[in-house]
Amino acid sequence: DSVFHIGAQAIVKKGRRSPYQTFETNIRGTYGILEACRVHQDQVERIVIASSDKAYGHSDQLPYLEDMALCGVDPYEVSKSCTDLIANSYARTYSLPVVVLRCGNIFGGGDLNWDRIFPGIMRSLILGEALEIRSGPKFVRDYTYVHDVVDAYLCAGAYLDQGKRFPNAFNISHGKPISISGLLELCEVELGRPVDVVFRENCEGEIEEQFLDCSLAASQIGWKSQISLADAIRNTHDWYERFFVSRT
């Protein structure tokens, strides 16, 4: 009776390299699931769809608000803009119980994509390897711990249980944007070791500064981030340490 659509091709760089596969996975994947929900509407009570802050594309207005236009340009951005619009279409046309969550950069244990900054930092610290970062030190993001995101999905489901339908899209993030250099400094302080970093500044398609206003999620679905970035960094490091020990 509950559908959580979180499957996606989620890498910006891969989206540029393989736009067809990205569109197939993210766009067709979304309408395929929603069409199944429409056909079996009598069995489905709640549908929560993973969108992204990238659905907004680039905007000079910060933080991003839910009523801003969805203006993706890069293939990954476009795939998430379309995911969002398709979900809204099914919600409004067929009265499906749909909520869309536009999350900031999610991190935590279990992520083995080493191109992402958190897995990269943790591997660098634990294995003593140099960390290559494709962006520059001034890039700003709002990092959100995966446990907070899980809580947001459950809050979204409870919102639908109350018979609510609209608004049906909410920003989800920690609410405290930080630069890449600031994040590295915080990791060094919390984990007690310096990170050996090389900045490549080769990040075509990435937006330099991006963060979200999450006040609507707080007022409508009763969600806000509960875990400090410092605690989340320590918890994440503990997971990766166990992961690498288990492989030796």
Side-chain angles (χ1 to χ4, degrees):
D1 59 7
S2 303
V3 177
F4 294 90
H5 175 35
I6 57 175
Q9 190 300 96
I11 308 301
V12 173
K13 185 170 68 173
K14 186 174 180 180
R16 294 184 68 87
R17 188 172 64 247
S18 304
Y20 180 85
Q21 185 264 336
T22 298
F23 292 148
E24 283 285 288
T25 301
N26 295 358
I27 298 175
R28 181 149 64 155
T30 296
Y31 69 67
I33 283 175
L34 286 168
E35 179 62 9
C37 290
R38 183 190 69 81
V39 171
H40 300 285
Q41 191 165 356
D42 59 327
Q43 300 178 44
V44 179
E45 298 177 10
R46 59 195 71 80
I47 307 161
V48 184
I49 303 288
S51 184
S52 168
D53 55 357
K54 302 296 186 293
Y56 293 109
H58 177 76
S59 174
D60 293 330
Q61 178 184 329
L62 291 168
Y64 292 179
L65 298 166
E66 285 87 350
D67 60 1
M68 292 171 60
L70 304 177
C71 298
V73 174
D74 188 83
Y76 176 73
E77 296 168 10
V78 168
S79 77
K80 295 316 253 181
S81 297
C82 289
T83 290
D84 220 297
L85 291 167
I86 290 165
N88 187 59
S89 175
Y90 271 86
R92 292 183 180 273
T93 306
Y94 304 108
S95 298
L96 285 183
V98 176
V99 165
V100 175
L101 299 184
R102 299 170 185 159
C103 294
N105 287 36
I106 302 169
F107 73 97
D111 186 355
L112 301 181
N113 188 316
W114 307 112
D115 281 342
R116 295 187 196 271
I117 189 165
F118 267 96
I121 289 173
M122 298 306 159
R123 185 170 70 171
S124 173
L125 286 171
I126 294 166
L127 301 183
E129 299 175 351
L131 170 65
E132 292 190 3
I133 297 180
R134 66 180 184 274
S135 65
K138 296 182 180 180
F139 273 54
V140 173
R141 292 290 185 270
D142 199 346
Y143 298 96
T144 311
Y145 188 44
V146 65
H147 289 213
D148 272 336
V149 177
V150 170
D151 187 45
Y153 274 84
L154 298 178
C155 287
Y159 170 81
L160 291 168
D161 289 344
Q162 298 166 22
K164 304 289 182 65
R165 291 292 185 271
F166 302 103
N168 71 328
F170 300 97
N171 292 336
I172 301 296
S173 73
H174 187 256
K176 295 181 179 179
I178 188 171
S179 67
I180 298 291
S181 60
L183 178 64
L184 291 168
E185 290 172 8
L186 183 58
C187 287
E188 290 178 354
V189 168
E190 293 302 322
L191 303 177
R193 283 173 282 174
V195 183
D196 181 14
V197 181
V198 177
F199 288 102
R200 295 300 184 192
E201 304 202 35
N202 180 22
C203 51
E204 189 177 9
E206 291 277 11
I207 296 167
E208 185 166 345
E209 193 168 4
Q210 193 169 43
F211 51 92
L212 301 165
D213 183 309
C214 300
S215 56
L216 189 65
S219 65
Q220 294 293 318
I221 68 173
W223 178 88
K224 62 179 181 179
S225 176
Q226 299 293 324
I227 303 170
S228 72
L229 189 54
D231 286 344
I233 286 170
R234 291 193 295 271
N235 293 345
T236 300
H237 180 266
D238 289 346
W239 187 92
Y240 282 98
E241 199 162 50
R242 293 192 301 273
F243 170 78
F244 282 112
V245 166
S246 71
R247 293 169 63 86
T248 58

mmCIF file of all heavy atoms in Angstrom, residues 116-152:
data_model
loop_
_atom_site.group_PDB
_atom_site.id
_atom_site.type_symbol
_atom_site.label_atom_id
_atom_site.label_comp_id
_atom_site.label_asym_id
_atom_site.label_seq_id
_atom_site.Cartn_x
_atom_site.Cartn_y
_atom_site.Cartn_z
ATOM 1 N N ARG A 116 31.581 10.756 -4.986
ATOM 2 C CA ARG A 116 30.886 11.675 -4.078
ATOM 3 C C ARG A 116 31.856 12.132 -2.983
ATOM 4 O O ARG A 116 32.766 11.401 -2.580
ATOM 5 C CB ARG A 116 29.677 11.006 -3.437
ATOM 6 C CG ARG A 116 28.564 10.631 -4.379
ATOM 7 C CD ARG A 116 27.393 10.141 -3.561
ATOM 8 N NE ARG A 116 26.417 9.425 -4.333
ATOM 9 C CZ ARG A 116 25.387 9.992 -4.953
ATOM 10 N NH1 ARG A 116 25.234 11.298 -4.902
ATOM 11 N NH2 ARG A 116 24.531 9.262 -5.613
ATOM 12 N N ILE A 117 31.597 13.314 -2.470
ATOM 13 C CA ILE A 117 32.593 13.888 -1.556
ATOM 14 C C ILE A 117 32.692 13.133 -0.238
ATOM 15 O O ILE A 117 33.800 12.906 0.267
ATOM 16 C CB ILE A 117 32.341 15.392 -1.330
ATOM 17 C CG1 ILE A 117 33.528 15.981 -0.562
ATOM 18 C CG2 ILE A 117 31.013 15.638 -0.624
ATOM 19 C CD1 ILE A 117 33.586 17.485 -0.593
ATOM 20 N N PHE A 118 31.573 12.712 0.352
ATOM 21 C CA PHE A 118 31.667 12.042 1.646
ATOM 22 C C PHE A 118 32.333 10.671 1.560
ATOM 23 O O PHE A 118 33.253 10.386 2.342
ATOM 24 C CB PHE A 118 30.298 11.962 2.327
ATOM 25 C CG PHE A 118 30.035 13.117 3.251
ATOM 26 C CD1 PHE A 118 29.320 14.210 2.816
ATOM 27 C CD2 PHE A 118 30.535 13.119 4.544
ATOM 28 C CE1 PHE A 118 29.089 15.291 3.658
ATOM 29 C CE2 PHE A 118 30.319 14.183 5.391
ATOM 30 C CZ PHE A 118 29.588 15.279 4.951
ATOM 31 N N PRO A 119 31.929 9.785 0.650
ATOM 32 C CA PRO A 119 32.683 8.530 0.524
ATOM 33 C C PRO A 119 34.155 8.777 0.230
ATOM 34 O O PRO A 119 35.033 8.080 0.757
ATOM 35 C CB PRO A 119 31.983 7.818 -0.633
ATOM 36 C CG PRO A 119 30.611 8.372 -0.637
ATOM 37 C CD PRO A 119 30.742 9.799 -0.231
ATOM 38 N N GLY A 120 34.439 9.797 -0.606
ATOM 39 C CA GLY A 120 35.832 10.120 -0.919
ATOM 40 C C GLY A 120 36.620 10.561 0.297
ATOM 41 O O GLY A 120 37.761 10.131 0.505
ATOM 42 N N ILE A 121 36.032 11.435 1.099
ATOM 43 C CA ILE A 121 36.709 11.896 2.318
ATOM 44 C C ILE A 121 36.984 10.729 3.250
ATOM 45 O O ILE A 121 38.095 10.587 3.794
ATOM 46 C CB ILE A 121 35.859 12.966 3.037
ATOM 47 C CG1 ILE A 121 35.857 14.275 2.240
ATOM 48 C CG2 ILE A 121 36.389 13.214 4.457
ATOM 49 C CD1 ILE A 121 34.900 15.316 2.795
ATOM 50 N N MET A 122 35.967 9.897 3.457
ATOM 51 C CA MET A 122 36.123 8.793 4.408
ATOM 52 C C MET A 122 37.176 7.790 3.941
ATOM 53 O O MET A 122 38.008 7.329 4.724
ATOM 54 C CB MET A 122 34.770 8.101 4.626
ATOM 55 C CG MET A 122 33.710 9.004 5.216
ATOM 56 S SD MET A 122 34.259 9.807 6.759
ATOM 57 C CE MET A 122 33.146 11.214 6.822
ATOM 58 N N ARG A 123 37.168 7.469 2.664
ATOM 59 C CA ARG A 123 38.185 6.535 2.148
ATOM 60 C C ARG A 123 39.576 7.137 2.271
ATOM 61 O O ARG A 123 40.534 6.445 2.634
ATOM 62 C CB ARG A 123 37.887 6.169 0.694
ATOM 63 C CG ARG A 123 38.842 5.103 0.156
ATOM 64 C CD ARG A 123 38.414 4.562 -1.182
ATOM 65 N NE ARG A 123 38.568 5.545 -2.246
ATOM 66 C CZ ARG A 123 38.422 5.248 -3.540
ATOM 67 N NH1 ARG A 123 38.087 4.023 -3.916
ATOM 68 N NH2 ARG A 123 38.579 6.188 -4.457
ATOM 69 N N SER A 124 39.691 8.433 1.990
ATOM 70 C CA SER A 124 40.983 9.100 2.086
ATOM 71 C C SER A 124 41.521 9.044 3.513
ATOM 72 O O SER A 124 42.694 8.724 3.734
ATOM 73 C CB SER A 124 40.839 10.560 1.635
ATOM 74 O OG SER A 124 42.027 11.277 1.860
ATOM 75 N N LEU A 125 40.662 9.334 4.478
ATOM 76 C CA LEU A 125 41.104 9.340 5.874
ATOM 77 C C LEU A 125 41.462 7.943 6.367
ATOM 78 O O LEU A 125 42.466 7.750 7.051
ATOM 79 C CB LEU A 125 40.003 9.928 6.761
ATOM 80 C CG LEU A 125 39.809 11.445 6.687
ATOM 81 C CD1 LEU A 125 38.557 11.859 7.440
ATOM 82 C CD2 LEU A 125 41.025 12.168 7.261
ATOM 83 N N ILE A 126 40.659 6.973 6.020
ATOM 84 C CA ILE A 126 40.842 5.624 6.568
ATOM 85 C C ILE A 126 41.997 4.885 5.892
ATOM 86 O O ILE A 126 42.786 4.189 6.540
ATOM 87 C CB ILE A 126 39.528 4.822 6.452
ATOM 88 C CG1 ILE A 126 38.454 5.454 7.350
ATOM 89 C CG2 ILE A 126 39.736 3.355 6.826
ATOM 90 C CD1 ILE A 126 37.045 4.972 7.075
ATOM 91 N N LEU A 127 42.136 5.076 4.565
ATOM 92 C CA LEU A 127 43.174 4.360 3.825
ATOM 93 C C LEU A 127 44.438 5.182 3.608
ATOM 94 O O LEU A 127 45.425 4.679 3.085
ATOM 95 C CB LEU A 127 42.634 3.896 2.469
ATOM 96 C CG LEU A 127 41.417 2.965 2.509
ATOM 97 C CD1 LEU A 127 41.040 2.528 1.107
ATOM 98 C CD2 LEU A 127 41.668 1.756 3.410
ATOM 99 N N GLY A 128 44.398 6.469 3.990
ATOM 100 C CA GLY A 128 45.564 7.318 3.826
ATOM 101 C C GLY A 128 45.849 7.703 2.393
ATOM 102 O O GLY A 128 46.998 7.952 2.018
ATOM 103 N N GLU A 129 44.794 7.777 1.568
ATOM 104 C CA GLU A 129 44.954 8.139 0.159
ATOM 105 C C GLU A 129 44.669 9.627 -0.046
ATOM 106 O O GLU A 129 43.933 10.238 0.719
ATOM 107 C CB GLU A 129 43.969 7.331 -0.706
ATOM 108 C CG GLU A 129 44.168 5.836 -0.632
ATOM 109 C CD GLU A 129 43.104 5.089 -1.415
ATOM 110 O OE1 GLU A 129 42.126 5.730 -1.862
ATOM 111 O OE2 GLU A 129 43.256 3.862 -1.569
ATOM 112 N N ALA A 130 45.255 10.183 -1.091
ATOM 113 C CA ALA A 130 44.936 11.568 -1.456
ATOM 114 C C ALA A 130 43.514 11.615 -2.015
ATOM 115 O O ALA A 130 43.080 10.697 -2.708
ATOM 116 C CB ALA A 130 45.928 12.091 -2.485
ATOM 117 N N LEU A 131 42.805 12.676 -1.688
ATOM 118 C CA LEU A 131 41.436 12.861 -2.145
ATOM 119 C C LEU A 131 41.410 13.855 -3.293
ATOM 120 O O LEU A 131 41.843 15.003 -3.140
ATOM 121 C CB LEU A 131 40.561 13.377 -0.987
ATOM 122 C CG LEU A 131 39.148 13.840 -1.353
ATOM 123 C CD1 LEU A 131 38.320 12.661 -1.873
ATOM 124 C CD2 LEU A 131 38.467 14.485 -0.142
ATOM 125 N N GLU A 132 40.895 13.424 -4.442
ATOM 126 C CA GLU A 132 40.714 14.332 -5.574
ATOM 127 C C GLU A 132 39.280 14.835 -5.582
ATOM 128 O O GLU A 132 38.336 14.042 -5.572
ATOM 129 C CB GLU A 132 41.013 13.618 -6.900
ATOM 130 C CG GLU A 132 42.481 13.264 -7.076
ATOM 131 C CD GLU A 132 42.788 12.779 -8.483
ATOM 132 O OE1 GLU A 132 41.853 12.774 -9.319
ATOM 133 O OE2 GLU A 132 43.947 12.411 -8.736
ATOM 134 N N ILE A 133 39.123 16.156 -5.587
ATOM 135 C CA ILE A 133 37.799 16.780 -5.624
ATOM 136 C C ILE A 133 37.673 17.531 -6.938
ATOM 137 O O ILE A 133 38.499 18.386 -7.251
ATOM 138 C CB ILE A 133 37.585 17.719 -4.427
ATOM 139 C CG1 ILE A 133 37.629 16.907 -3.124
ATOM 140 C CG2 ILE A 133 36.266 18.472 -4.556
ATOM 141 C CD1 ILE A 133 37.421 17.733 -1.880
ATOM 142 N N ARG A 134 36.625 17.206 -7.695
ATOM 143 C CA ARG A 134 36.515 17.780 -9.037
ATOM 144 C C ARG A 134 36.055 19.235 -9.023
ATOM 145 O O ARG A 134 36.237 19.953 -9.998
ATOM 146 C CB ARG A 134 35.589 16.936 -9.909
ATOM 147 C CG ARG A 134 34.140 16.914 -9.463
ATOM 148 C CD ARG A 134 33.305 16.043 -10.402
ATOM 149 N NE ARG A 134 31.898 16.058 -10.068
ATOM 150 C CZ ARG A 134 31.316 15.278 -9.191
ATOM 151 N NH1 ARG A 134 32.054 14.376 -8.551
ATOM 152 N NH2 ARG A 134 30.033 15.362 -8.938
ATOM 153 N N SER A 135 35.422 19.678 -7.919
ATOM 154 C CA SER A 135 34.973 21.067 -7.834
ATOM 155 C C SER A 135 36.030 21.913 -7.128
ATOM 156 O O SER A 135 37.080 21.422 -6.733
ATOM 157 C CB SER A 135 33.645 21.138 -7.086
ATOM 158 O OG SER A 135 33.819 20.729 -5.748
ATOM 159 N N GLY A 136 35.720 23.190 -6.948
ATOM 160 C CA GLY A 136 36.616 24.083 -6.225
ATOM 161 C C GLY A 136 36.244 24.184 -4.758
ATOM 162 O O GLY A 136 35.157 23.759 -4.349
ATOM 163 N N PRO A 137 37.108 24.747 -3.931
ATOM 164 C CA PRO A 137 36.870 24.800 -2.481
ATOM 165 C C PRO A 137 35.707 25.696 -2.076
ATOM 166 O O PRO A 137 35.189 25.577 -0.959
ATOM 167 C CB PRO A 137 38.193 25.342 -1.930
ATOM 168 C CG PRO A 137 38.827 26.069 -3.079
ATOM 169 C CD PRO A 137 38.420 25.317 -4.308
ATOM 170 N N LYS A 138 35.261 26.595 -2.968
ATOM 171 C CA LYS A 138 34.204 27.533 -2.605
ATOM 172 C C LYS A 138 32.807 27.051 -2.972
ATOM 173 O O LYS A 138 31.826 27.740 -2.678
ATOM 174 C CB LYS A 138 34.474 28.893 -3.265
ATOM 175 C CG LYS A 138 35.748 29.564 -2.763
ATOM 176 C CD LYS A 138 35.943 30.927 -3.399
ATOM 177 C CE LYS A 138 37.211 31.605 -2.889
ATOM 178 N NZ LYS A 138 37.417 32.943 -3.518
ATOM 179 N N PHE A 139 32.695 25.886 -3.606
ATOM 180 C CA PHE A 139 31.372 25.358 -3.924
ATOM 181 C C PHE A 139 30.574 25.154 -2.633
ATOM 182 O O PHE A 139 31.116 24.643 -1.646
ATOM 183 C CB PHE A 139 31.484 24.030 -4.679
ATOM 184 C CG PHE A 139 31.613 24.190 -6.167
ATOM 185 C CD1 PHE A 139 32.597 24.996 -6.708
ATOM 186 C CD2 PHE A 139 30.754 23.541 -7.031
ATOM 187 C CE1 PHE A 139 32.728 25.160 -8.082
ATOM 188 C CE2 PHE A 139 30.868 23.691 -8.402
ATOM 189 C CZ PHE A 139 31.853 24.493 -8.937
ATOM 190 N N VAL A 140 29.307 25.537 -2.649
ATOM 191 C CA VAL A 140 28.472 25.479 -1.445
ATOM 192 C C VAL A 140 27.311 24.515 -1.667
ATOM 193 O O VAL A 140 26.622 24.568 -2.694
ATOM 194 C CB VAL A 140 27.928 26.878 -1.081
ATOM 195 C CG1 VAL A 140 26.916 26.785 0.067
ATOM 196 C CG2 VAL A 140 29.076 27.810 -0.713
ATOM 197 N N ARG A 141 27.104 23.628 -0.689
ATOM 198 C CA ARG A 141 25.986 22.695 -0.705
ATOM 199 C C ARG A 141 25.387 22.590 0.694
ATOM 200 O O ARG A 141 25.991 23.015 1.682
ATOM 201 C CB ARG A 141 26.434 21.302 -1.159
ATOM 202 C CG ARG A 141 26.855 21.206 -2.607
ATOM 203 C CD ARG A 141 25.681 21.350 -3.550
ATOM 204 N NE ARG A 141 26.056 21.144 -4.940
ATOM 205 C CZ ARG A 141 26.456 22.094 -5.767
ATOM 206 N NH1 ARG A 141 26.573 23.347 -5.314
ATOM 207 N NH2 ARG A 141 26.758 21.826 -7.016
ATOM 208 N N ASP A 142 24.207 21.975 0.740
ATOM 209 C CA ASP A 142 23.537 21.713 2.010
ATOM 210 C C ASP A 142 23.469 20.200 2.169
ATOM 211 O O ASP A 142 22.651 19.545 1.520
ATOM 212 C CB ASP A 142 22.132 22.327 1.980
ATOM 213 C CG ASP A 142 21.557 22.503 3.370
ATOM 214 O OD1 ASP A 142 22.115 21.923 4.319
ATOM 215 O OD2 ASP A 142 20.552 23.213 3.503
ATOM 216 N N TYR A 143 24.368 19.640 2.967
ATOM 217 C CA TYR A 143 24.476 18.189 3.101
ATOM 218 C C TYR A 143 23.469 17.677 4.126
ATOM 219 O O TYR A 143 23.314 18.246 5.200
ATOM 220 C CB TYR A 143 25.903 17.817 3.499
ATOM 221 C CG TYR A 143 26.907 18.233 2.452
ATOM 222 C CD1 TYR A 143 27.598 19.437 2.567
ATOM 223 C CD2 TYR A 143 27.122 17.454 1.323
ATOM 224 C CE1 TYR A 143 28.496 19.836 1.584
ATOM 225 C CE2 TYR A 143 28.022 17.846 0.341
ATOM 226 C CZ TYR A 143 28.705 19.040 0.476
ATOM 227 O OH TYR A 143 29.578 19.444 -0.499
ATOM 228 N N THR A 144 22.803 16.576 3.779
ATOM 229 C CA THR A 144 21.717 16.048 4.597
ATOM 230 C C THR A 144 21.998 14.598 4.942
ATOM 231 O O THR A 144 22.200 13.762 4.042
ATOM 232 C CB THR A 144 20.379 16.159 3.838
ATOM 233 O OG1 THR A 144 20.248 17.479 3.310
ATOM 234 C CG2 THR A 144 19.211 15.872 4.774
ATOM 235 N N TYR A 145 22.008 14.273 6.223
ATOM 236 C CA TYR A 145 22.322 12.929 6.676
ATOM 237 C C TYR A 145 21.183 11.980 6.308
ATOM 238 O O TYR A 145 20.006 12.303 6.435
ATOM 239 C CB TYR A 145 22.541 12.938 8.185
ATOM 240 C CG TYR A 145 23.060 11.664 8.771
ATOM 241 C CD1 TYR A 145 24.089 10.952 8.174
ATOM 242 C CD2 TYR A 145 22.546 11.175 9.967
ATOM 243 C CE1 TYR A 145 24.587 9.785 8.728
ATOM 244 C CE2 TYR A 145 23.033 10.015 10.548
ATOM 245 C CZ TYR A 145 24.060 9.322 9.923
ATOM 246 O OH TYR A 145 24.544 8.164 10.483
ATOM 247 N N VAL A 146 21.531 10.789 5.852
ATOM 248 C CA VAL A 146 20.544 9.850 5.326
ATOM 249 C C VAL A 146 19.476 9.498 6.364
ATOM 250 O O VAL A 146 18.305 9.277 6.005
ATOM 251 C CB VAL A 146 21.250 8.584 4.776
ATOM 252 C CG1 VAL A 146 21.942 7.801 5.885
ATOM 253 C CG2 VAL A 146 20.283 7.733 3.983
ATOM 254 N N HIS A 147 19.804 9.447 7.636
ATOM 255 C CA HIS A 147 18.796 9.128 8.649
ATOM 256 C C HIS A 147 17.722 10.217 8.717
ATOM 257 O O HIS A 147 16.543 9.926 8.932
ATOM 258 C CB HIS A 147 19.456 8.950 10.019
ATOM 259 C CG HIS A 147 20.264 7.698 10.133
ATOM 260 N ND1 HIS A 147 20.398 6.981 11.308
ATOM 261 C CD2 HIS A 147 20.995 7.017 9.222
ATOM 262 C CE1 HIS A 147 21.167 5.928 11.113
ATOM 263 N NE2 HIS A 147 21.544 5.930 9.854
ATOM 264 N N ASP A 148 18.128 11.473 8.538
ATOM 265 C CA ASP A 148 17.155 12.559 8.476
ATOM 266 C C ASP A 148 16.257 12.417 7.252
ATOM 267 O O ASP A 148 15.062 12.724 7.304
ATOM 268 C CB ASP A 148 17.875 13.915 8.423
ATOM 269 C CG ASP A 148 18.186 14.482 9.803
ATOM 270 O OD1 ASP A 148 17.489 14.120 10.768
ATOM 271 O OD2 ASP A 148 19.119 15.300 9.904
ATOM 272 N N VAL A 149 16.826 11.972 6.141
ATOM 273 C CA VAL A 149 16.042 11.812 4.916
ATOM 274 C C VAL A 149 15.014 10.692 5.084
ATOM 275 O O VAL A 149 13.855 10.824 4.660
ATOM 276 C CB VAL A 149 16.960 11.538 3.715
ATOM 277 C CG1 VAL A 149 16.142 11.285 2.449
ATOM 278 C CG2 VAL A 149 17.903 12.718 3.498
ATOM 279 N N VAL A 150 15.402 9.594 5.707
ATOM 280 C CA VAL A 150 14.454 8.510 5.980
ATOM 281 C C VAL A 150 13.290 9.040 6.812
ATOM 282 O O VAL A 150 12.114 8.748 6.536
ATOM 283 C CB VAL A 150 15.150 7.338 6.699
ATOM 284 C CG1 VAL A 150 14.127 6.319 7.189
ATOM 285 C CG2 VAL A 150 16.157 6.671 5.777
ATOM 286 N N ASP A 151 13.594 9.837 7.818
ATOM 287 C CA ASP A 151 12.553 10.434 8.650
ATOM 288 C C ASP A 151 11.632 11.317 7.814
ATOM 289 O O ASP A 151 10.408 11.327 8.003
ATOM 290 C CB ASP A 151 13.204 11.252 9.772
ATOM 291 C CG ASP A 151 12.189 11.765 10.773
ATOM 292 O OD1 ASP A 151 11.308 10.987 11.188
ATOM 293 O OD2 ASP A 151 12.271 12.950 11.148
ATOM 294 N N ALA A 152 12.202 12.050 6.849
ATOM 295 C CA ALA A 152 11.389 12.908 5.976
ATOM 296 C C ALA A 152 10.424 12.066 5.144
ATOM 297 O O ALA A 152 9.256 12.453 4.952
ATOM 298 C CB ALA A 152 12.293 13.738 5.068
#
